[in-house]
Amino acid sequence: MSEAAASHMTDRRELTAAQRNAVAELLRVSPVADELGRRFAAAGHELHLVGGSVRDALLGRLGEDLDFCTDAHPDQTLGIVRGWAEAIWETGREFGTIGCQRDGLRLEITTFRAESYDQVSRNPVVEYGTSLTEDLRRRDFTINAMAVSLPEHRFTDPYGGLADLAAKVVRTPGTPAESFGDDPLRMLRAARFAAQLRFAVHPDAHAAMNRMAADLDRITAERIRDEFTKLLTGADPITGLRLLVDTGLAERFLPELTGLKLEIDEHAQHKDVYEHTLTVVRNAMSYEQDGPDFILRMAALMHDIGKPATKSVGPDGRVSFHHHEVVGARLTKTRMKALRYPKDVTGKVTALVALHLRFYGYGRGEWTDSAVRRYVTDAGDLLSRLHKLTRSDCTTRNRRKAAQLAADYDALEERIARIAADEDLARVRPDLDGNAIMELLGVPPGPIVGRAWKHLKDLRLERGPLDRDTAEAELLRWARDEGLRD
C-alpha cells in the first residue's frame, strides 16, 4: 500500500470517529437544540448550530455553551425565545447576538453576518448577512465554519472544515489575507488554536501572519490579552509561543520574548535564554495539579526577560546577568499593565519573577533560620508556586548538577516544614500587636506604631517567636534608640 493511500485511509478512520463523536454529543444536547430549532422553523426562520460548538462536538467535547446562527434579526429572536428560555440577556445585541439559558445550557443566537473591519477601526462593522454559506465564510477558520441545521440535523461544510479537523490543520475559509485583514486578531487566534488543539497552521496562513503581523497593532490590548491567556493556558503553549515569535506577532505585544533569542544562558551554554525559557514553561506545566495555572506559566515565561538589559561579559569571557530578576520584575509589571491584566494577577506574576533567584544561595549553606523565615514571608501565598517555578528553572543537562539542585531544594522544603511545625510561618506577626505597642509606648495611632510594628516583625523573622517580656524589652530598647523614650 502506498504512503498516500495509507494516509487517506487514516483520514477516513479519523473522520468516521469524529462523526461518531458528533452524533453522541449532539444527541446529548438535542432535546434543547431541536426544540429551539422547531420554534424558529415555526416562526419561518432557519437555525443552525455553528462554529466552535460543531468543532467541539466533532472532537467529542461539546460543553454547555452552544452557538447558533439564524436569518432572524435580534428582535425576532427575542420574540421566539421569550416564554421558552429560563433567562435572556442582550449584552451582544449590537453585534446581532441574543443569549439565553435553558435546562443548564447557555445558548447564543446570532443573526447571519457579513461582518468586516474598515482596516483602520479596532472594532467590527456589523452587517447582517442573508445566507448560511456567507455567514460561514466570514468565520475565522474552516474548523469553525461548519454547521448543523436544526431540527433536521443537516450537516453543512462548504470549506472543508471536517477534512482539516481530521488533518489537524488551521486554515482560513477564504484567503488568509482577506481573513486576517478583516480581523487581525485571527492571526493570534491561529496560534492559540495551535496551542489548544495541537494543530498545525497551514503554510499559507503562516506566511500571511509573517506579512501582516503589524496589523495586530489595530487590535485593543484587552482582546490581545484574552487570546494570549488562552494560548498560554492551552495544552501545548510552546507551539503557540514559537508561532508568535517566528511570525513576528510577539514583537507587536510581547517583544521581550523575542529579545530572549539573542541572549546566552549562563547556566547552560548549550542553549540560549529563549530555549531555556520555553523549557521552563514546559517544566512548570508538569507541576500543575488542578488544570492550567496562568500565573505560574506566565512567571515561567517572564522569569528571565531582564537578562538582555543586564548582560555583561567579564574579563574571563564569562557572561553574567546580575540583578536580572529585579529588572525582569519591573519589565513584567510594565508589560502586563500594558496588556490590561488585573492588578492582583500582575502583582503575583511580578513577585514570582522577583523571587525566582532567591533560592540559589541556599546550597552554599549560608542560610540561617532567619533567611528561611524571610523566604517564606516574602513569598506569602505564592510559596507553592515559587517552589514549582524554582524547580522548573533547573534545565541543565549536567545530571550531577541537576541532582544537587533538586537535593538542595528538597532540603529547603524540609527545613521550611520543620520551622513551620514550631512557628506559624504562613502568618508571621510581631509578638506584640498595635494596641500593646501603643499602651507600652504611650503613643496614639500613627506612624510611630507602624515603625514599631515593623521593627518587631523584623525581629520575629530574625530570632523566631519571643516571649512577652522579651518582646516588651526589645520594643523599649528600640524606642530609646529612636529617641522616643529616655
Side-chain angles (χ1 to χ4, degrees), residues 298-320:
M298 189 66 174
L301 183 67
M302 305 296 279
H303 79 286
D304 274 350
I305 64 166
K307 284 188 171 180
T310 58
K311 179 181 177 182
S312 63
V313 181
D316 59 355
R318 290 183 60 84
V319 177
S320 63

Side-chain angles (χ1 to χ4, degrees), residues 287-414:
Y287 289 105
E288 294 172 336
Q289 297 175 326
D290 300 313
D293 183 344
F294 171 77
I295 290 171
L296 176 61
R297 293 189 187 190
M298 189 66 174
L301 183 67
M302 305 296 279
H303 79 286
D304 274 350
I305 64 166
K307 284 188 171 180
T310 58
K311 179 181 177 182
S312 63
V313 181
D316 59 355
R318 290 183 60 84
V319 177
S320 63
F321 304 94
H322 294 304
H323 305 302
H324 74 266
E325 75 281 12
V326 177
V327 174
R330 184 170 65 250
L331 292 173
T332 297
K333 183 178 180 179
T334 300
R335 182 56 55 197
M336 294 187 71
K337 182 179 180 180
L339 287 170
R340 305 291 193 271
Y341 277 101
K343 286 185 178 180
D344 63 326
V345 174
T346 298
K348 290 176 181 179
V349 175
T350 300
L352 287 170
V353 172
L355 290 169
H356 84 274
L357 277 188
R358 182 80 68 85
F359 158 73
Y360 285 95
Y362 185 78
R364 296 192 294 268
E366 299 170 355
W367 280 32
T368 62
D369 283 353
S370 171
V372 175
R373 292 189 194 98
R374 290 183 184 278
Y375 186 79
V376 173
T377 302
D378 290 347
D381 60 3
L382 295 173
L383 183 62
S384 176
R385 286 189 175 108
L386 183 57
H387 288 333
K388 296 171 183 177
L389 177 61
T390 302
R391 289 184 181 276
S392 299
D393 196 23
C394 176
T395 63
T396 178
R397 293 180 180 177
N398 184 319
R399 293 185 178 182
R400 176 180 293 181
K401 184 176 180 181
Q404 185 60 56
L405 285 169
D408 288 345
Y409 210 85
D410 287 343
L412 174 58
E413 289 198 47
E414 291 170 4

Side-chain angles (χ1 to χ4, degrees), residues 86-323:
E86 298 159 355
I88 296 174
W89 53 94
E90 302 181 44
T91 51
R93 184 183 182 123
E94 65 176 310
F95 301 111
T97 300
I98 299 298
C100 63
Q101 182 170 315
R102 174 82 177 193
D103 293 348
L105 297 174
R106 291 170 55 88
L107 320 173
E108 289 202 340
I109 307 159
T110 302
T111 304
F112 289 154
R113 287 186 287 187
E115 182 180 278
S116 64
Y117 287 66
D118 63 9
Q119 307 296 316
V120 175
S121 170
R122 294 177 177 215
N123 295 311
V125 176
V126 177
E127 297 178 359
Y128 294 144
T130 58
S131 72
L132 174 62
T133 301
E134 180 185 15
D135 182 272
L136 294 178
R137 181 178 174 80
R138 57 148 289 277
R139 293 179 180 271
D140 52 5
F141 305 111
T142 59
I143 58 175
N144 296 328
M146 299 176 281
V148 176
S149 302
L150 301 167
E152 64 269 32
H153 291 189
R154 185 180 70 255
F155 183 68
T156 300
D157 180 19
Y159 304 108
L162 191 59
D164 286 343
L165 197 67
K168 297 181 171 58
V169 172
V170 178
R171 185 169 60 88
T172 57
T175 67
E178 176 186 45
S179 181
F180 298 157
D182 278 349
D183 184 359
L185 189 69
R186 289 173 175 173
M187 295 184 286
L188 184 51
R189 195 173 294 145
R192 188 251 289 185
F193 278 120
Q196 284 186 326
L197 302 176
R198 299 180 187 274
F199 281 21
V201 174
H202 190 276
D204 290 346
H206 193 289
M209 290 161 69
N210 272 287
R211 293 194 308 271
M212 303 175 67
D215 287 3
L216 193 65
D217 296 348
R218 292 196 278 122
I219 303 302
T220 62
E222 290 83 358
R223 294 182 71 208
I224 292 174
R225 174 201 64 204
D226 292 345
E227 284 297 330
F228 176 70
T229 299
K230 292 173 184 176
L231 183 157
L232 192 58
T233 54
D236 182 17
I238 307 305
T239 292
L241 292 169
R242 287 192 187 281
L243 269 170
L244 295 182
V245 172
D246 294 345
T247 58
L249 286 168
E251 192 67 32
R252 315 314 304 184
F253 70 96
L254 193 62
E256 295 84 1
L257 178 59
T258 304
L260 293 178
K261 295 194 74 170
L262 304 178
E263 304 306 319
I264 301 300
D265 182 1
E266 80 278 17
H267 294 304
Q269 295 289 344
H270 60 280
K271 57 176 79 165
D272 63 22
V273 179
Y274 172 70
E275 290 296 334
H276 163 75
T277 294
L278 297 183
T279 301
V280 174
V281 173
R282 185 182 294 110
N283 289 348
M285 292 170 60
S286 69
Y287 289 105
E288 294 172 336
Q289 297 175 326
D290 300 313
D293 183 344
F294 171 77
I295 290 171
L296 176 61
R297 293 189 187 190
M298 189 66 174
L301 183 67
M302 305 296 279
H303 79 286
D304 274 350
I305 64 166
K307 284 188 171 180
T310 58
K311 179 181 177 182
S312 63
V313 181
D316 59 355
R318 290 183 60 84
V319 177
S320 63
F321 304 94
H322 294 304
H323 305 302

Side-chain angles (χ1 to χ4, degrees), residues 27-92:
L27 284 175
R28 180 173 64 82
V29 302
S30 63
V32 170
D34 289 349
E35 187 177 342
L36 184 60
R38 287 191 290 270
R39 291 179 71 89
F40 272 80
H45 293 291
E46 302 173 30
L47 185 73
H48 312 275
L49 187 70
V50 290
S53 293
V54 177
R55 179 199 72 227
D56 288 344
L58 289 164
L59 293 173
R61 61 183 201 186
L62 185 61
E64 308 303 316
D65 296 339
L66 306 181
D67 295 324
F68 300 87
C69 69
T70 178
D71 60 340
H73 286 200
D75 285 342
Q76 295 168 317
T77 295
L78 281 170
I80 294 170
V81 299
R82 280 198 179 111
W84 175 81
E86 298 159 355
I88 296 174
W89 53 94
E90 302 181 44
T91 51

Side-chain angles (χ1 to χ4, degrees), residues 434-435 437-446 448-449 484:
N435 289 329
I437 291 170
M438 287 188 289
E439 180 180 352
L440 191 61
L441 297 184
V443 297
I448 290 175
V449 179
L484 301 174

